């Protein structure tokens, strides 16, 4: 409740403004202060579905605590409390359940935002200045979201606990030094103990013993002070470690989010966000961790006579080293992925970056990075280690030799980044695994493995004199290796499906065998827009969904939650109507036809595209004469290359008796294939002539 008490002594008008703005009751905050301030709100990531159960439980417990508080107020017998705060708590509990019962993430996000606003207000109150702290504003604008703001708050907590630790260590050093001096004086004093001969000697002995006892009590008092300072230091170090773990978790989440976004950007064609913000945050955290790692060697001499607390200190130091180790491993990132469809003996490039490399001490002796190609079994071993920070990476054999695959990282003085750009990589040899009969070459996945050995320039145990060596490793997104250009289309299907629906933290390169159409159509839309510079329309996506699910296009029903299997997407021939090519082959060919021949027309919505023949005829009948449209056809059996059909409707009327407005509907189909070389060299021109006699 300490924070709420501090706020209550400050500007209550500003507190009310914050709570009114965020639609949260100050009465609830007041009576739930102890509980609110005891819960680890900052650890929850409301966007992480894996934490949903924990968030639900947190919300449920909060409501239970509110109900318990109501019972406590009723038991007081104070009518003012029963009909005042108690009634408010009851009303607010019902309102919270109604608002957040089905989406407790919103409640946790609200509490996180309130905690952040309270910290800002307390910071202003503590500084005695109502102007915002510049560092807070700069950092918040740099990150720009609630997660980033919570990270700022964590860094402020770290800074506060670090200053307290430094102060306590200084006090401990002074008191310990003074204790040693006093202990030495006590030892010398005791050595001068007078004899017991004569009365005068007895008086001298009593005076001496009195002085000795006072010195002993002084030593005991000083020893107690040293012990209390040690306990205060340990408590604060624990708080510091907790704040470091909070910031560490957020920085790692930012790195993982960037990697996931990089994977999705390969589908939609967008560029991933810059790593500079993550570099700054990771650099700040690395500085803090390295500073904290030096605390144990500085204070361990004070813990020699306190074995239990010495073990606690040793465990604390191991936790800090573990955080450093984990952060270094996650900071080794593939900034530019190698091509995911790779052809043997063809040059390719990739870029690797070690985030916060300057902080790790690699500005002079830069690491040497090596590259190799690994198969699925080797990938599983690598991912087991990368996803489990407690394991150590051993030497991994490779299944392919990459030419120019060894290079020293370069430190850029201006940008203060440590990275390496491999520009002339070539896959020379490849050893494929034994495949089952149903598997194709274009479904076999490999990984490009980047790794280097570096010294952890902080002792992992303060009794060791050498720096341990650790392996930094990064694995590319899945790669399919082809030999002939005609394999690229099927290889693209494998890569597309994997990028769309595979998790970064999987234990191998396995992908889900089926996916809901609503998820698949969103990714297909991104991919089509990337290649043709225009999104697919709702009717286009419905038509494609019916086709991949082998449904009748004339039926109108919701297919969003129906499952599309990998086989129906890229392996099995289309069945409605029966064809000798797959859905992916046909769709990919449509995209290629637009890209090569009709891109301006497609971008200007002059091509209808994905619509059935029957629906085309029905659509044109309701239009004015001479109306036509362009659509893709899949009617050529055994040939996945689509034709672009022009359907043209003419209407003629006569005065035949009994039929005042008969019409003659003629449909002209002009077919254009992506194999028509002339269309790639000159603009499309159409001319139609018709002579009919009635």
């Amino acid at each position: 409740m300490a924070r709420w008490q501090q706020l209550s002594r400050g500007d209550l008008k500003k507190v009310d403004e914050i709570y009114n703005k965020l639609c949260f009751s100050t009465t609830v905050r007041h009576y739930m202060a102890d509980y609110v301030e005891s819960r680890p709100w900052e650890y929850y990531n409301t966007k992480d579905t894996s934490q949903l159960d924990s968030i639900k439980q947190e919300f449920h417990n909060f409501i239970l605590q509110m109900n318990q508080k109501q019972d406590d107020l009723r038991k007081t017998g104070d009518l003012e409390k029963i009909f005042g705060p108690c009634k408010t708590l009851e009303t607010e509990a019902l309102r919270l359940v109604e608002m957040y019962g089905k989406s407790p993430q919103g409640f946790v996000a609200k509490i996180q935002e309130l905690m952040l606003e309270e910290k800002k207000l307390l910071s202003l109150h503590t500084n005695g200045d109502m102007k915002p702290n510049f560092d807070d504003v700069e950092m918040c604008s740099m990150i720009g979201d609630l997660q980033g703001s919570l990270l700022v708050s964590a860094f402020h907590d770290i800074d506060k606990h670090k200053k307290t630790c430094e102060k306590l260590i200084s006090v401990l050093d002074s008191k310990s030094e003074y204790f040693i001096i006093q202990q030495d004086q006590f030892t010398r004093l005791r050595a001068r103990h007078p004899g017991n001969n004569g009365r005068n000697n007895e008086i001298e002995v009593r005076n001496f013993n009195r002085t000795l006892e006072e010195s002993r009590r002084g030593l005991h008092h000083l020893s107690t002070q040293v012990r209390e300072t040690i306990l205060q230091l340990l408590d604060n170090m624990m708080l510091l470690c907790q704040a470091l773990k909070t910031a560490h978790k957020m920085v790692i989440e930012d790195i993982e989010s960037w990697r996931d976004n990089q994977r999705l950007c390969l589908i939609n064609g967008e560029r991933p966000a810059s790593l500079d913000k993550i570099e700054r945050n990771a650099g700040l955290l690395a500085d803090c961790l390295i500073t904290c790692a030096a605390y144990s060697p500085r204070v361990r001499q004070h813990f020699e006579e306190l074995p239990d607390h010495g073990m606690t200190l040793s465990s604390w130091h191991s936790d800090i080293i573990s955080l450093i180790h984990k952060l270094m491993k996650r900071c080794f990132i593939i900034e530019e992925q190698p091509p995911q469809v790779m052809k043997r003996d063809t040059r390719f490039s990739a870029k690797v970056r070690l985030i916060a490399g300057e902080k790790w001490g690699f500005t002079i002796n830069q690491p040497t990075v090596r590259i190799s190609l690994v198969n699925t079994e080797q990938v599983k071993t690598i991912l087991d280690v990368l996803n489990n920070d407690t394991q150590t990476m051993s030497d991994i054999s490779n299944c392919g030799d990459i030419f120019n695959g060894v290079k020293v990282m370069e430190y850029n003085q201006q940008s203060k980044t440590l990275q390496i750009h491999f520009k002339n990589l070539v896959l020379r040899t490849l050893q494929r695994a034994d495949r089952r009969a149903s598997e194709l070459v274009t479904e076999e996945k490999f990984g490009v493995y980047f790794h280097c050995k570096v010294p952890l320039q902080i002792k992992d145990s303060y009794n060791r004199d050498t720096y341990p060596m650790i392996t930094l490793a990064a694995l590319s997104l899945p790669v399919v290796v082809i030999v002939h250009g005609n394999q690229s289309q099927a290889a693209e299907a494998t890569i597309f499906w994997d990028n769309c629906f595979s998790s970064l933290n999987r234990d191998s390169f396995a992908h889900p065998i089926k996916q809901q159409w609503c998820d698949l159509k969103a990714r297909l839309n991104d991919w089509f827009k990337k290649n043709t510079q225009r999104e697919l329309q709702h009717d286009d996506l419905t038509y494609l969904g019916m086709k991949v699910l082998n449904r009748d296009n004339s039926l109108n029903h919701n297919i969003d939650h129906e499952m599309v299997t990998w086989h129906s997407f890229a392996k099995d021939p289309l069945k409605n109507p029966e064809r000798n090519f797959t859905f992916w082959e046909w769709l990919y060919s449509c995209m290629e036809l637009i890209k090569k021949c009709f891109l301006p027309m497609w971008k200007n919505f002059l091509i209808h595209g994905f619509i059935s023949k029957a629906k085309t005829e029905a659509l044109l009948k309701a239009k004015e004469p001479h109306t036509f449209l362009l659509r893709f056809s899949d009617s050529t059996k055994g040939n996945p290359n689509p034709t672009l059909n022009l359907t043209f409707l003419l209407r003629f009327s006569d005065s035949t008796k009994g039929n005042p407005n008969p019409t003659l509907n003629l449909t002209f189909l002009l077919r254009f294939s992506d194999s028509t070389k002339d269309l790639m060299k000159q603009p499309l021109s159409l001319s139609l002539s018709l002579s009919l006699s009635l």
Side-chain angles (χ1 to χ4, degrees):
M1 194 170 178
R3 182 191 295 175
W4 185 248
Q5 288 176 343
Q6 292 179 52
L7 287 168
S8 300
R9 290 193 294 266
D11 191 344
L12 293 177
K13 187 175 180 180
K14 284 194 171 292
V15 175
D16 286 334
E17 286 177 2
I18 290 173
Y19 276 79
N20 289 336
K21 178 182 175 183
L22 296 174
C23 301
F24 202 89
S25 170
T26 52
T27 302
V28 174
R29 177 66 176 91
H30 176 76
Y31 283 95
M32 296 290 291
D34 288 335
Y35 184 79
V36 168
E37 293 173 23
S38 68
R39 302 307 301 158
W41 305 106
E42 66 274 16
Y43 298 126
Y44 293 114
N45 182 356
T46 56
K47 297 179 181 178
D48 186 357
T49 55
S50 64
Q51 295 188 19
L52 183 57
D53 290 337
S54 300
I55 290 173
K56 285 181 178 178
Q57 189 61 46
E58 189 71 64
F59 176 72
H60 178 68
N61 291 341
F62 187 91
I63 299 300
L64 288 178
Q65 287 294 323
M66 287 185 68
N67 294 334
Q68 182 62 47
K69 181 59 69 174
Q70 295 172 46
D71 292 337
D72 293 342
L73 290 173
R74 291 189 184 98
K75 289 176 183 177
T76 62
D78 188 337
L79 295 178
E80 186 176 347
K81 288 184 178 180
I82 293 174
F83 292 102
C86 185
K87 190 65 178 177
T88 302
L89 287 173
E90 182 180 2
T91 304
E92 286 298 313
L94 293 173
R95 187 179 71 87
L96 290 174
V97 170
E98 183 178 357
M99 289 181 63
Y100 302 110
K102 295 183 179 179
S103 57
Q105 305 97 313
F107 172 79
V108 171
K110 178 85 70 178
I111 295 292
Q112 288 175 340
E113 194 171 357
L114 284 169
M115 295 299 99
L116 179 63
E117 292 295 331
E118 287 183 4
K119 281 193 174 184
K120 289 180 182 178
L121 194 58
L122 278 176
S123 176
L124 298 178
H125 179 68
T126 304
N127 294 336
D129 185 1
M130 295 313 292
K131 294 180 180 179
N133 186 290
F134 179 77
D135 292 336
D136 282 0
V137 175
E138 183 180 33
M139 185 69 78
C140 287
S141 62
M142 179 184 79
I143 303 173
D145 57 6
L146 181 59
Q147 177 82 350
S149 301
L150 292 172
L151 181 59
V152 173
S153 178
F155 275 127
H156 277 294
D157 287 344
I158 291 170
D159 186 59
K160 180 182 69 175
H161 294 311
K162 274 176 58 185
K163 288 177 180 177
T164 305
C165 282
E166 293 285 352
K167 181 179 178 180
L168 288 172
I169 290 173
S170 178
V171 170
L172 186 60
D173 287 339
S174 299
K175 288 184 176 181
S176 296
E177 185 178 351
Y178 184 63
F179 178 81
I180 292 171
I181 294 172
Q182 293 298 312
Q183 190 177 41
D184 182 62
Q185 290 180 354
F186 175 78
T187 303
R188 291 182 181 183
L189 179 64
R190 190 170 53 181
R192 295 199 304 267
H193 196 287
N196 292 317
N197 297 324
R199 182 176 178 82
N200 292 333
N201 194 28
E202 289 179 3
I203 296 173
E204 184 181 351
V205 167
R206 281 199 302 271
N207 291 335
F208 179 84
N209 287 338
R210 188 182 303 112
T211 303
L212 189 66
E213 182 61 28
E214 288 175 356
S215 178
R216 183 183 290 109
R217 282 199 300 268
L219 272 179
H220 178 73
H221 179 68
L222 194 57
S223 174
T224 302
Q225 287 183 336
V226 170
R227 182 183 291 270
E228 289 175 352
T229 305
I230 288 174
L231 293 176
Q232 288 178 21
L233 178 61
L234 273 178
D235 289 342
N236 200 74
M237 289 173 74
M238 292 303 172
L239 293 173
L240 174 58
C241 187
Q242 196 62 51
L244 286 167
K245 288 179 178 179
T246 300
H248 185 276
K249 180 174 178 286
M250 293 181 184
V251 170
I252 296 300
E253 285 177 352
D254 286 344
I255 293 173
E256 294 301 303
S257 177
W258 184 91
R259 291 179 59 218
D260 194 48
N261 184 57
Q262 182 192 46
R263 173 175 62 89
L264 295 177
C265 283
L266 293 172
I267 300 171
N268 58 34
E270 297 177 0
R271 287 185 62 83
S274 170
L275 281 168
D276 293 343
K277 294 177 183 177
I278 294 176
E279 176 97 34
R280 285 194 291 268
N281 293 339
L284 283 172
L285 180 58
D287 264 340
C288 295
L289 288 168
I290 292 169
T291 300
C292 294
Y295 287 165
S296 290
R298 286 173 58 185
V299 302
R300 72 176 185 271
Q301 60 183 349
H302 303 305
F303 287 74
E304 290 176 353
E305 296 183 4
L306 302 171
D308 292 340
H309 298 311
M311 292 294 293
T312 304
L313 179 67
S314 177
S315 175
W316 183 90
H317 184 75
S318 298
D319 286 345
I320 298 298
I321 296 300
S322 176
L323 291 175
I324 293 172
H325 192 177
K326 292 175 183 178
L327 184 63
M328 281 186 70
K329 287 174 65 176
R330 298 301 177 94
C331 282
F332 192 63
I333 288 180
I334 304 173
E335 188 171 7
E336 291 183 10
Q337 292 280 340
Q340 290 188 268
V341 177
M342 187 181 297
K343 195 173 180 181
R344 279 180 55 183
D345 298 321
T346 300
R347 189 172 66 180
F348 66 95
S349 64
K351 184 187 286 186
V352 178
R353 180 167 172 175
L354 179 56
I355 293 175
E358 180 187 30
K359 307 298 181 181
W360 307 126
F362 300 133
T363 57
I364 298 176
N365 298 318
Q366 294 91 356
T368 299
V369 180
R370 290 173 168 79
I371 306 179
S372 55
L373 193 75
V374 290
N375 60 28
T376 304
E377 288 300 317
Q378 295 158 344
V379 163
K380 190 176 188 308
T381 303
I382 294 168
L383 289 175
D384 283 343
V385 177
L386 292 180
N387 295 333
N388 188 346
D389 293 310
T390 60
Q391 295 187 22
T392 303
M393 186 71 73
S394 57
D395 292 334
I396 302 291
S397 59
N398 63 67
C399 64
D401 295 325
I402 297 179
F403 185 64
N404 291 329
V406 179
K407 208 169 182 180
V408 178
M409 299 192 83
E410 300 170 354
Y411 177 68
N412 188 314
Q413 290 280 358
Q414 185 175 0
S415 63
K416 299 187 181 301
T417 56
L418 188 67
Q419 58 188 15
I420 183 64
H421 194 180
F422 294 92
K423 297 181 180 179
N424 297 295
L425 299 171
V426 180
L427 177 62
R428 294 296 193 197
T429 61
L430 174 66
Q431 181 179 356
R432 294 188 182 274
D434 295 332
R435 299 185 306 278
R436 296 189 296 270
S438 61
E439 292 180 332
L440 303 173
V441 169
T442 53
E443 292 182 75
E444 186 177 6
K445 300 174 191 173
F446 298 89
V448 180
Y449 177 50
F450 300 80
H451 57 99
C452 64
K453 287 190 176 181
V454 298
L456 180 64
Q457 298 188 18
I458 301 156
K459 296 175 184 177
D460 61 354
S461 171
Y462 42 77
N463 294 321
R464 292 181 57 168
D465 296 325
T466 59
Y467 294 127
M469 298 295 291
I470 64 173
T471 298
L472 303 181
L475 187 66
S476 74
L477 293 170
V479 169
V480 174
V481 180
I482 62 174
V483 180
H484 304 291
N486 59 7
Q487 296 174 318
S488 63
Q489 192 180 87
E492 290 279 1
T494 301
I495 295 303
F496 173 82
W497 189 274
D498 193 279
N499 285 347
C500 289
F501 308 121
S502 297
S503 168
L504 282 176
N505 297 322
R506 53 185 166 174
D507 58 0
S508 69
F509 273 167
H511 60 244
I513 59 173
K514 57 185 178 181
Q515 200 68 32
Q516 285 187 340
W517 169 244
C518 58
D519 297 324
L520 176 57
K521 75 176 181 181
R523 298 303 177 208
L524 279 175
N525 196 21
D526 290 339
W527 172 80
F528 217 83
K529 181 182 178 182
K530 166 191 169 184
N531 287 284
T532 66
Q533 303 173 36
R534 199 202 92 184
E535 291 184 340
L536 294 168
Q537 303 302 297
H538 174 74
D539 289 344
D540 298 331
L541 292 169
T542 301
Y543 177 76
L544 293 175
M546 293 293 190
K547 185 168 285 293
V548 74
L549 290 166
N550 296 314
R551 299 288 188 271
D552 188 345
N553 283 291
S554 62
L555 299 177
N556 293 322
H557 61 276
N558 190 353
I559 59 172
D560 279 354
H561 299 294
E562 294 196 31
M563 305 301 292
V564 179
T565 65
W566 161 246
H567 275 257
S568 64
F569 177 76
K571 297 193 73 173
D572 296 339
L574 287 171
K575 297 179 180 178
N576 188 22
E578 196 77 28
R579 297 288 180 257
N580 293 335
F581 47 83
T582 67
F583 171 81
W584 173 260
E585 289 172 336
W586 173 77
L587 182 63
Y588 192 92
S589 299
C590 290
M591 181 274 294
E592 287 285 293
L593 180 58
I594 292 172
K595 196 173 178 180
K596 293 177 181 178
C597 307
F598 300 103
L599 192 58
M601 295 177 65
W602 173 258
K603 288 169 61 177
N604 290 310
F605 294 89
L606 298 177
I607 298 176
H608 197 295
F610 300 102
I611 183 173
S612 66
K613 182 178 179 181
K615 193 170 182 179
T616 299
E617 293 174 352
L619 185 64
L620 288 176
K621 284 180 180 179
K623 301 294 181 182
E624 294 295 325
H626 317 307
T627 304
F628 67 92
L629 62 79
L630 296 165
R631 71 177 187 88
F632 294 114
S633 171
D634 65 343
S635 59
T636 310
K637 189 174 181 180
N639 179 14
N641 297 326
T643 58
L644 188 63
N645 292 358
L646 181 148
T647 303
F648 193 101
L649 177 65
L650 292 178
R651 291 188 176 182
F652 302 90
S653 64
D654 63 15
S655 57
T656 307
K657 187 176 182 180
N659 187 10
N661 294 306
T663 59
L664 175 63
N665 297 336
L666 302 179
T667 301
F668 297 85
L669 299 181
L670 301 182
R671 299 178 180 270
F672 307 104
S673 158
D674 61 352
S675 61
T676 308
K677 296 181 180 179
D678 292 340
L679 287 175
M680 301 181 195
K681 298 179 182 178
Q682 60 188 18
L684 172 66
S685 61
L686 302 176
S687 62
L688 299 175
S689 62
L690 177 67
S691 61
L692 294 174
S693 60
L694 297 176

